[in-house]
Amino acid sequence: ISIMSVSIVVQRFRKCKLLLNEVQWVTVGDDGENSSSCGLLAYISFGASTTQPQVETAAQTLLNLPVLTTGLWGDSSSTQSILGLATASISSCSLVIVPQANLISKVKGKSSIQYHGQIDKERGEQLYDYFCSYIQGLLLEGQCKARSEDLPEWYTKWKTFLEQQQQNKKSYSPSTPPDEMFRDASKYSEWDERGIPTKDSEGNALTKSAMKKLTKLYEAHRKKHSKWKEEQQKSGDDCASEQTLPSSVAAEAPPVEQWEGCLDGSFCHVVKGSFGKRQGLEFTSDMGPFVHSFQV
């Protein structure tokens, strides 16, 4: 398993019961006779260098994998994705997401396991929350499209906010000091005196071509930064801060309650496991031990 990736293991179920916040059990699905309900249990873990685009790709992949069936094991029922089932409205479907850091691990010798490739807890929780929100957003888009409804205004603004964030990350503000351009511990672990990375997050030396590319970016930005400083000195504003998104835009990130009010459980019931908490789980599946694991 690549420690640079999002790792996911999925299992189909008929009924699932998950412990939330170590105190509350939530049940989805139905294992009664002739039940057509089905769901997907997804364990997810992030490597030390997981990026936001990888999280988005993982969410899209999870929703579109054709690994679910409403039939019984061995009856030749065709498989569909959870998004496909929800959109078709042919059965009650659920998605249960469980954070599971130990998917990022490596066996050493015959009697030990190492977890060096795991992301740190704080960053892992941020990416997990973002993954869940992105999943819910894609489902909400599918729900509105299937029902010929307009997307909620708060969601449209939130998407705009995310897009602006990503656009800002693609380019550096002239006010950013050159030696802070690449200070990203999720990508690099060592830098030279200029702030140019020399090793990746796992301690491996960067290739000459990678170093050359980073140096080129550094030099180009250094010139922009020098010009910016000259302009600030001329205007007498030496302390101008780096540009940020307007507060009116940043304030549009939606609270959890927005999802609960707009994403209909009859379209797809989403349950998000508690990050950093004790996990309790029960599930039944008469569709077979159909398990998939993949990395992004």
Side-chain angles (χ1 to χ4, degrees), residues 207-219:
T207 63
K208 290 184 178 180
S209 59
M211 289 285 294
K212 183 177 181 180
K213 181 179 180 180
L214 292 172
T215 300
K216 185 177 181 180
L217 290 172
Y218 171 88
E219 291 297 337

Side-chain angles (χ1 to χ4, degrees), residues 63-115:
L63 290 181
N64 288 283
L65 278 180
V67 294
L68 283 177
T69 177
T70 58
L72 300 175
W73 173 250
D75 68 357
S76 301
S77 299
S78 60
T79 56
Q80 298 186 59
S81 69
I82 191 166
L83 184 57
L85 281 174
T87 301
S89 299
I90 59 177
S91 68
S92 173
C93 63
S94 307
L95 174 62
V96 177
I97 307 171
V98 179
Q100 192 65 44
N102 291 349
L103 293 181
I104 303 292
S105 61
K106 181 179 181 181
V107 175
K108 182 180 180 181
K110 297 181 179 180
S111 59
S112 65
I113 302 178
Q114 295 180 335
Y115 303 100

Side-chain angles (χ1 to χ4, degrees), residues 40-253:
L40 197 64
L41 172 63
Y43 298 100
I44 182 166
S45 183
F46 305 102
S49 298
T50 300
T51 63
Q52 188 166 308
Q54 285 178 317
V55 172
E56 295 172 359
T57 300
Q60 294 165 348
T61 302
L62 178 61
L63 290 181
N64 288 283
L65 278 180
V67 294
L68 283 177
T69 177
T70 58
L72 300 175
W73 173 250
D75 68 357
S76 301
S77 299
S78 60
T79 56
Q80 298 186 59
S81 69
I82 191 166
L83 184 57
L85 281 174
T87 301
S89 299
I90 59 177
S91 68
S92 173
C93 63
S94 307
L95 174 62
V96 177
I97 307 171
V98 179
Q100 192 65 44
N102 291 349
L103 293 181
I104 303 292
S105 61
K106 181 179 181 181
V107 175
K108 182 180 180 181
K110 297 181 179 180
S111 59
S112 65
I113 302 178
Q114 295 180 335
Y115 303 100
H116 300 318
Q118 293 180 358
I119 199 168
D120 69 85
K121 186 176 181 179
E122 181 178 358
R123 177 61 175 161
E125 185 169 10
Q126 291 173 350
L127 290 183
Y128 175 69
D129 289 340
Y130 182 69
F131 176 81
C132 292
S133 292
Y134 203 81
I135 283 280
Q136 290 172 295
L138 293 175
L139 287 171
L140 180 59
E141 291 178 15
Q143 172 185 299
C144 290
K145 182 178 180 180
R147 299 177 179 181
S148 299
E149 298 173 348
D150 293 331
L151 287 168
E153 183 179 357
W154 64 264
Y155 178 75
T156 302
K157 290 182 178 180
W158 182 65
K159 288 282 286 188
T160 300
F161 167 63
L162 293 179
E163 291 169 0
Q164 288 178 319
Q165 278 189 321
Q166 288 300 307
Q167 188 61 41
N168 283 0
K169 290 180 180 179
K170 292 180 181 179
S171 59
Y172 299 98
S173 167
S175 63
T176 303
D179 61 356
E180 294 182 7
M181 289 178 63
F182 308 113
R183 296 289 181 176
D184 186 346
S186 69
K187 295 181 179 180
Y188 311 110
S189 60
E190 287 189 18
W191 299 260
D192 63 17
E193 66 280 358
R194 298 168 295 176
I196 297 178
T198 57
K199 293 184 179 181
D200 63 21
S201 62
E202 304 306 319
N204 302 312
L206 298 181
T207 63
K208 290 184 178 180
S209 59
M211 289 285 294
K212 183 177 181 180
K213 181 179 180 180
L214 292 172
T215 300
K216 185 177 181 180
L217 290 172
Y218 171 88
E219 291 297 337
H221 180 72
R222 184 180 61 79
K223 294 177 181 178
K224 291 181 181 180
H225 182 68
S226 296
K227 183 177 180 180
W228 174 84
K229 287 181 67 176
E230 292 175 0
E231 292 175 349
Q232 296 304 311
Q233 289 172 352
K234 289 179 181 179
S235 65
D237 184 11
D238 295 344
C239 300
S241 59
E242 186 173 349
Q243 297 176 353
T244 58
L245 284 174
S247 58
S248 59
V249 177
E252 298 299 336

